[in-house]
Amino acid sequence: MAKRYRVGVIGATGRGDFGHAIDTAFTDVANAGVVAVADADEAGRRAAMERTGAMEGFADYREMLDRVHPDIVCIGPRWTTDRQDMVEAVAGHGAHIYCEKPLTGDLETADAIRDAVEMQGVRLQMAHQWRAMRPVQQAIQDVRDGKYGRLLRMRARPKDDRRGGGEELLVHGTHLFDMMIAFAGPPQWVSAHVSVDRRDARAEDATQATEPVGPILGDSISAMFGFGDGVRGFFDSTAGLSPGPERRFSELYGLFLECEQASLMLRQPGDVFVYPAPRVLPDIEDLAWDKQVIPDWHFDADGNARPLRKEWLRLGNGVLANDLITAIEEDRDPLSPITHGVWITEMVQGVYASHLSGGVRLGIPLAERRHPLAESS
């Protein structure tokens, strides 16, 4: 008889809540069920129990771990202030983890989290729902297989809203960097420039993000990352460029890939478009973008288009939850493992370290694990 996994949920109402629907990630998973919820806020705890169907609720997540002994724990808060303590406690109980992003804001904490997970032999899946979309998964496989020739460059652009620059580097960069790693493997070096008010940013300009997820710097960032086989990745973000919903295009968020024989554009909610040339050539009229359609993903059994923009978060969480269970049973890494979380933190922290060193190229892993903004912010 197949094992049924008992899932616990940790939330923090008013302190990062349950993240991006992390509490309901296992709702549609056939061989799993939420058995308990922990949240110090009573109203938030009861609401989460109702959403998940959990029969037990606890004000203290450590008590939940001691009394319930779940197989998997969803760590939901967006705030990273208690991330290390939560991961260490859950891993110490031998439970696997589904974790809200970002993992953390600094490498010292990321290293400690990785050590805790690896020492206890548990699996950690990051909640990078975008890379879980089936068109994106297919694109990753196609690029890896060389379908479009060698991958050359990747260009990431987040939403460029009021959080543009340092905050987006962390909160949206985590998705974009996770996908870069999925396409090209671990980052090897970083070089970056950060500005604030159109001047070079200084360490004393550092602030805290809208929510406590670590120190940030700048309202405009340009960064270049090196990957294996000569692949380069670029990240650009500037605050206040998002055109808003009144425009034909509501946001700039996406990842552009240039291969030898084609270009790929990844757009929300996980759609992939392919152009049959390395760059867009407006003077050649018979070249056009082709949306990569997966029939049973984009359409239901009656041929109606699925409302993916409304469902993508639920679908992505479900894919990652199922994958975590499969990874546990097959003793392999999940789609977005702890190693991705650490590499992403290397990329984010490396941007600041490079800029404050005059834009020099720094090797990854970074030699200095302490965050260069730790004291300034």
Side-chain angles (χ1 to χ4, degrees):
M1 183 177 179
K3 176 181 175 67
R4 182 169 178 81
Y5 290 82
R6 304 169 72 253
V7 179
V9 173
I10 299 174
T13 298
R15 294 175 51 84
D17 304 313
F18 291 84
H20 293 79
I22 303 300
D23 54 329
T24 56
F26 286 82
T27 300
D28 298 326
V29 177
N31 57 335
V34 176
V35 296
V37 171
D39 185 349
D41 183 271
E42 182 177 359
R45 182 170 66 249
R46 291 187 179 280
M49 291 174 66
E50 184 174 347
R51 287 193 302 270
T52 62
M55 298 301 294
E56 295 189 78
F58 299 86
D60 186 334
Y61 68 85
R62 296 180 187 275
E63 183 182 1
M64 178 187 74
L65 296 172
D66 288 338
R67 292 180 55 182
V68 177
H69 304 291
D71 302 301
I72 297 171
V73 174
C74 298
I75 297 179
R78 293 186 305 276
W79 293 14
T80 61
T81 46
D82 298 315
R83 182 80 83 235
Q84 181 179 344
D85 289 343
M86 289 177 178
V87 170
E88 289 178 345
V90 173
H93 279 73
H96 304 278
I97 300 166
Y98 186 55
C99 186
E100 173 64 298
K101 56 80 182 170
L103 177 66
T104 184
D106 69 277
L107 275 173
E108 290 179 309
T109 303
D111 289 342
I113 289 173
R114 178 196 56 215
D115 291 347
V117 168
E118 292 181 349
M119 182 168 54
Q120 297 299 332
V122 300
R123 300 293 179 182
L124 183 148
Q125 174 93 282
M126 293 296 301
H128 289 124
Q129 298 90 355
W130 205 17
R131 73 95 68 230
M133 301 294 101
R134 281 183 56 193
V136 173
Q137 290 194 58
Q138 185 62 55
I140 292 169
Q141 190 62 54
D142 288 342
V143 170
R144 285 175 173 174
D145 290 344
K147 180 177 179 178
Y148 308 108
R150 186 164 63 94
L151 174 62
L152 303 174
R153 303 172 187 91
M154 302 178 288
R155 299 183 183 277
R157 186 79 175 268
K159 295 183 178 181
D160 281 353
D161 56 19
R162 58 181 173 78
R163 297 167 293 180
E167 188 159 355
E168 279 214 303
L169 175 69
L170 188 62
V171 299
H172 291 144
T174 185
H175 281 292
L176 296 163
F177 296 152
D178 176 69
M179 288 199 292
M180 284 187 178
I181 294 166
F183 278 107
Q188 298 181 350
W189 54 263
V190 54
S191 177
H193 178 265
V194 181
S195 62
V196 58
D197 295 331
R198 304 188 184 185
R199 61 168 173 80
D200 286 1
R202 299 183 292 267
E204 54 266 32
D205 295 316
T207 62
Q208 291 293 323
T210 303
E211 294 186 328
V213 292
I216 62 171
L217 176 66
D219 55 22
S220 186
I221 289 175
S222 291
M224 178 168 62
F225 304 95
F227 297 86
D229 200 29
V231 178
R232 287 173 174 78
F234 301 86
F235 174 90
D236 293 287
S237 175
T238 299
L241 297 185
S242 178
E246 69 278 2
R247 295 285 293 276
R248 288 187 62 193
F249 55 99
S250 61
E251 59 185 42
L252 306 171
Y253 200 91
L255 181 66
F256 180 89
L257 279 69
E258 180 183 337
C259 300
E260 289 180 304
Q261 301 167 14
S263 302
L264 285 77
M265 185 68 190
L266 281 62
R267 294 279 291 158
Q268 286 188 312
D271 283 327
V272 176
F273 301 83
V274 177
Y275 184 84
R279 298 191 66 181
V280 176
L281 304 173
D283 56 321
I284 303 180
E285 295 181 358
D286 61 343
L287 297 183
W289 289 98
D290 179 34
K291 182 177 179 178
Q292 304 298 285
V293 175
I294 299 178
D296 63 346
W297 174 264
H298 287 99
F299 301 96
D300 62 22
D302 296 323
N304 299 311
R306 295 185 185 277
L308 294 177
R309 286 193 174 274
K310 295 181 179 180
E311 296 182 350
W312 77 274
L313 194 59
R314 177 183 65 82
L315 292 170
N317 279 328
V319 169
L320 294 171
N322 276 290
D323 176 71
L324 176 57
I325 288 177
T326 303
I328 293 166
E329 295 178 344
E330 295 180 354
D331 193 26
R332 63 161 173 83
D333 277 341
L335 286 172
S336 189
I338 180 61
T339 50
H340 281 215
V342 177
W343 287 330
I344 290 165
T345 313
E346 297 265 13
M347 295 169 79
V348 172
Q349 186 165 316
V351 165
Y352 297 129
S354 171
H355 169 74
L356 293 173
S357 300
V360 299
R361 193 173 81 174
L362 299 178
I364 293 176
L366 297 174
E368 176 57 60
R369 311 307 281 176
R370 181 172 171 78
H371 201 296
L373 303 178
E375 294 180 359
S376 301
S377 62

